Amino acid sequence: MVQRILVVDDDRSIVKVLTSYLERSGYQALSAYDGEMALHQLRRERPDLIVVDWMMPEMDGPTLCEAVRRDPALKSSQILLMTSHDKPAQIAEGLARGADDFLSKAASKQEVTARVLAGLRTSRLVRELEM
């Protein structure tokens, strides 16, 4: 079964680059361009991992993380928060608001691959426990 990853960013060029990379890596990549669209996709598709940008209009990444954690059907979703924020206080805020891990927008392909694999591994374990 192909693992599904939802990429959420208001910058369509970033979504295109990341989804293309994920698809070339063998994943099914879904996309959303804002928090509300992401919540709709999450409820409908139940992807294995969410990669969400921190900075988005209306509903930013940490707010989306909080919304996911409040929803009983989505609360165990694995969230990788993509950000250019790399200060300890900002990372702590993202984790406190529901992110499981971070990915720098400047990350190498090797780091993207490693963090995606770690998120998918956790997702698989959580879903096995939920059964």
Side-chain angles (χ1 to χ4, degrees):
M1 184 169 123
V2 176
Q3 293 173 304
R4 295 176 299 161
I5 302 171
L6 175 62
V7 177
V8 186
D9 197 317
D10 61 310
D11 185 333
R12 291 175 185 262
S13 62
I14 290 174
V15 171
K16 185 175 182 174
V17 168
L18 191 51
T19 57
S20 293
Y21 175 71
L22 292 169
E23 287 171 350
R24 284 192 312 275
S25 298
Y27 304 109
Q28 179 185 359
L30 309 168
S31 57
Y33 305 107
D34 62 49
E36 287 301 322
M37 180 187 273
L39 287 171
H40 178 73
Q41 284 272 62
L42 286 167
R43 290 181 182 116
R44 191 178 73 220
E45 300 291 338
R46 291 289 304 191
D48 300 291
L49 179 66
I50 309 157
V51 180
V52 59
D53 184 33
W54 184 300
M55 299 296 292
M56 295 186 295
E58 297 181 37
M59 182 186 296
D60 64 10
T63 303
L64 175 60
C65 291
E66 290 173 334
V68 168
R69 298 301 177 222
R70 283 191 306 268
D71 187 320
L74 302 176
K75 69 181 179 181
S76 64
S77 299
Q78 294 302 299
I79 304 171
L80 185 55
L81 192 57
M82 187 170 49
T83 181
S84 57
H85 301 294
D86 59 357
K87 295 185 176 148
Q90 294 162 326
I91 292 171
E93 177 189 352
L95 292 169
R97 293 180 68 188
D100 294 298
D101 197 3
F102 278 84
L103 178 64
S104 169
K105 282 200 169 185
S108 67
K109 287 184 178 182
Q110 293 85 0
E111 183 178 356
V112 171
T113 299
R115 292 195 185 276
V116 164
L117 286 172
L120 290 170
R121 191 170 44 247
T122 302
S123 176
R124 184 176 56 252
L125 292 171
V126 168
R127 288 187 176 180
E128 286 175 8
L129 290 172
E130 289 178 333
M131 293 180 157

